[in-house]
Amino acid sequence: MGAGLKQRAANSREGTLLARTITRKAAGLAAVLLVIAIGYLCLWPIPAEPVSWHAPTPPGYVGAHAPNTRLAGLRMIDLGDEVGPEHIAMGPDGKLYAAITSGNLLRMDPDGANREVFANTGGRVLGFDFDGRGRMVVADAMKGLLAITPDRQVSMLTDRVSPGDPIRYANAIVVAPDGTIYFTDASARFAPSAWGGTYEASVLDILEQSASGRVLAFDPATGRTRLVAHGLSFANGVALSSDGHTLFVAETGRYRIWRIDGHAEGLDVGSSSPRARVLLDNLPGYPDNLMRGRGGRIWVGLFKPRNPAADSLSERPFLRSVLLRLPRFMLPLGESYGHVLAIDEDGRVIADLQDPSGAYPETTGVTETAERFYIHSLHARGIGWMPP
């Protein structure tokens, strides 16, 4: 064999050995990274402690919820640079008010004209109502229960039930005819002010499923805050019955709506008490705001449809712990699907409006007047509305 051939053979052997060495090192590095990744997904500390629960089989879009397009083609009220009219209501002054993602509370004419910033609490208002004095009473997820006078003065009503029991996630609110202010504390475990905002706190609470949500009542005359009921998985929207003291409460984390005696005190909704019963169960989506409409209707917003992948993990708390270690965009939250419905006080569905395209995203509720249906949304760039 010539010298050239010997040299080429030697070079080939050296190249093969080098390639094998590189491959072994790469494989070793990949194995180390895989071990680190598995260790992270299984062991990295998270604030939630998921528990097992049984999610009912999703009913799908059947029966009263048969697919339709009655919510498609909404007309729009421009909000400029503002996004996410999560809660909308008419004020005693005949103006339309909206709580926006930025923290602003907008005020405008019913057709959207003469829009202005009415107030900003410095927190994040999720729900509001008006009391007999004309004040806007707001559930601020960062601060608690606040009041805003017509001349825009903001004051604190309550931020705790007792000295050692803070209100962590004030969410929805309704003022009763007798002046009692009922509101939900979505999670007694995760405060948006401590966990980077309302979205992160809601993800932690719903994936944990410890059912720490509750309904509270504030008496303006005494300044006392009373625990009405607890044991709800992310307590959300609240509305009053025609008798003025029975409450309808949306339990977002378990796809249902409760009927609860507003006179109760410290009631555990899981105790099989006749003072709290499930009015509507196994909804096809996540219920949010509850709003009284005309003719006795109660409007319900479903901001996302159910996701079978998420439901399949209900009895697998360890896997939900793994999910909480993933980037939030990887969570199985379901596709955008516009959906609002109306029920009567017995839980019968009397109207169902859908937009399968999800063009108006994350529908959270409906405000009904004689002239318009205003559709609430978590992320829409305007207020969608339609004739009644």
Side-chain angles (χ1 to χ4, degrees), residues 257-301:
I257 296 171
W258 287 82
R259 183 184 177 101
I260 298 173
D261 183 355
H263 291 152
E265 186 157 355
L267 178 66
D268 182 350
V269 298
S271 65
S272 301
S273 168
R275 304 182 77 179
R277 66 179 178 88
V278 175
L279 182 73
L280 201 59
D281 200 3
N282 205 15
L283 287 163
Y286 293 89
D288 201 306
N289 294 340
L290 302 183
M291 300 288 289
R292 292 305 305 231
R294 295 164 63 83
R297 286 186 287 261
I298 303 167
W299 285 99
V300 183

Side-chain angles (χ1 to χ4, degrees), residues 336-347:
S336 186
Y337 190 104
H339 196 179
V340 298
L341 58 109
I343 60 174
D344 64 17
E345 292 195 2
D346 293 319

Side-chain angles (χ1 to χ4, degrees), residues 116-242:
E116 63 176 340
V117 176
F118 169 65
N120 189 311
T121 63
R124 175 66 170 102
V125 174
L126 294 178
F128 59 88
D129 199 1
F130 295 88
D131 67 10
R133 297 161 57 183
R135 299 183 303 175
M136 175 186 278
V137 185
V138 308
D140 188 312
M142 304 288 185
K143 298 191 171 186
L145 190 69
L146 312 176
I148 307 174
T149 62
D151 62 355
R152 312 184 193 209
Q153 298 301 306
V154 180
S155 61
M156 172 68 71
L157 295 178
T158 181
D159 63 354
R160 60 195 61 248
V161 179
S162 62
D165 186 5
I167 296 163
R168 287 187 167 84
Y169 199 142
N171 193 327
I173 184 171
V174 65
V175 180
D178 66 2
T180 302
I181 300 167
Y182 294 102
F183 62 107
T184 54
D185 186 12
S187 172
R189 290 264 297 136
F190 302 105
S193 59
W195 295 104
T198 56
Y199 174 69
E200 180 64 18
S202 66
V203 167
L204 290 169
D205 188 85
I206 291 173
L207 284 180
E208 181 179 73
Q209 284 290 336
S210 61
S212 68
R214 53 192 182 168
V215 182
L216 306 174
F218 176 76
D219 183 350
T222 64
R224 179 185 178 227
T225 303
R226 168 171 54 96
L227 172 63
V228 176
H230 63 96
L232 298 158
S233 177
F234 203 80
N236 207 323
V238 61
L240 274 170
S241 67
S242 55

